[in-house]
Amino acid sequence: MKVLVPVKRVVDANVRVRVKADGSGADVANVKFSMNPFDEISVEEAVRLKEAGAATEVVAVSCGVQGCQETLRTAMATGADRGILVETDVELQPLAVARLLKALVDKEQPQLVMLGKQAIDDDANQVGQMLAALLDWPQATFASKVEIDGGKAVVTREIDGGLETIEVDLPAVITADLRLNTPRYASLPNIMKAKKKPLDVVKPDALGVDVAPRLQTLKVTEPPKREPGVRVADAAELVAKLRSVAQVI
Ligand code: AMP
């Protein structure tokens, strides 16, 4: 079973993102980029499937600028066998990514596509669902446990107020939730080995996909600043302030 794992290059989760002065978007000049944290989890899961003998090959895919090669090398350092970069400088929106992945699935014929549930930069939570629709494959989103059983996947999903277990026929699309696993760190020897693993570069045109943005960002703003708190002397003052200042009672 071949597993395709889409990995997105995003601004590192520890960077405090600032909005550009003209409000046209986030200022990402000179900030650190890393693999989307949910994609680290899906790579780990795919590699575990390979180690358990359920998968034979793990192929990492990233769509975006040349710098995504770094993200692919990270995926290969933690166990992916090879990488594919769909290279473009165009800002990719979820539908464009889903179409690129669909074209790669047609070419690579994996039995499983294992994505993150969400990219932490656009917070879209759309690509996996759109890809499943384009492929007309079953989907199991927000997975917290995955078991491959012959031609089926048994997936436990995190839903409001509990867990749901579903069975989907392969080929299928699965998206990883936070509690699926704890991703391993890449060891230095594996980082070195990853440099020699195959990495193919294709352009969206070669896949016959139009990636032009369909959505226009009107404005991006910082969240409102939190007002500092006030210390009150006693309960009477608190009640007075709740009544006159906060006007909640
Ligand atoms: P989103 O729908 O944008 O929140 O992203 C959900 C998942 O789709 C991510 O966790 C990735 O697995 C995948 N994905 C999104 N954008 C890309 C990209 N540019 N390249 C590769 N995978 C992506």
Side-chain angles (χ1 to χ4, degrees):
M1 178 176 81
K2 190 194 279 189
V3 186
L4 202 71
V5 188
V7 292
K8 187 175 189 185
R9 175 184 186 261
V10 297
V11 172
D12 188 90
N14 297 309
V15 171
R16 197 182 170 285
V17 179
R18 295 188 185 280
V19 172
K20 283 188 199 158
D22 64 0
S24 62
D27 187 357
V28 295
N30 304 318
V31 301
K32 183 180 175 210
F33 283 86
S34 298
M35 187 188 298
N36 182 43
F38 291 105
D39 304 350
E40 291 177 356
I41 296 172
S42 51
V43 172
E44 175 67 31
E45 195 64 18
V47 171
R48 287 188 191 186
L49 287 175
K50 190 176 168 199
E51 288 168 347
T56 48
E57 191 184 22
V58 177
V59 184
V61 183
S62 195
C63 310
V65 295
Q66 202 198 6
C68 297
Q69 292 206 12
E70 231 176 84
T71 318
L72 289 168
R73 292 284 171 210
T74 306
M76 290 189 267
T78 44
D81 297 293
R82 60 187 171 95
I84 304 174
L85 167 63
V86 184
E87 192 182 334
T88 173
D89 289 334
V90 175
E91 177 217 320
L92 291 175
Q93 294 177 346
L95 182 59
V97 176
R99 287 191 173 138
L100 291 171
L101 295 176
K102 153 94 168 65
L104 282 179
V105 168
D106 291 344
K107 213 167 138 198
E108 292 281 335
Q109 300 283 310
Q111 288 294 100
L112 180 61
V113 184
M114 186 93 208
L115 306 94
K117 75 163 179 183
Q118 190 167 336
I120 62 160
D121 52 359
D122 59 17
D123 271 346
N125 177 235
Q126 293 176 7
V127 174
Q129 295 87 331
M130 285 175 168
L131 176 64
L134 292 173
L135 290 166
D136 198 18
W137 283 8
Q139 60 179 298
T141 51
F142 313 135
S144 61
K145 189 171 173 202
V146 174
E147 284 167 316
I148 303 296
D149 183 7
K152 296 178 188 304
V154 179
V155 178
T156 303
R157 311 180 55 236
E158 300 209 353
I159 56 169
D160 275 353
L163 297 173
E164 177 190 50
T165 303
I166 60 170
E167 189 180 83
V168 290
D169 288 332
L170 298 175
V173 172
I174 297 179
T175 72
D177 210 330
L178 197 63
R179 276 165 286 273
L180 181 58
N181 59 49
T182 306
R184 71 194 70 184
Y185 288 103
S187 65
L188 192 58
N190 286 343
I191 293 173
M192 301 313 287
K193 269 190 225 153
K195 291 186 201 275
K196 297 210 179 80
K197 291 188 179 178
L199 196 164
D200 291 334
V201 182
V202 285
K203 301 276 177 180
D205 282 355
L207 296 172
V209 178
D210 170 15
V211 291
R214 303 289 199 275
L215 307 170
Q216 189 195 348
T217 303
L218 298 181
K219 197 165 84 175
V220 177
T221 52
E222 298 264 359
K225 287 226 168 11
R226 228 181 125 184
E227 297 293 329
V230 184
R231 222 172 245 283
V232 291
D234 51 28
E237 191 188 344
L238 174 64
V239 171
K241 282 209 185 299
L242 288 175
R243 193 165 284 147
S244 62
V245 182
Q247 299 187 342
V248 291
I249 55 172

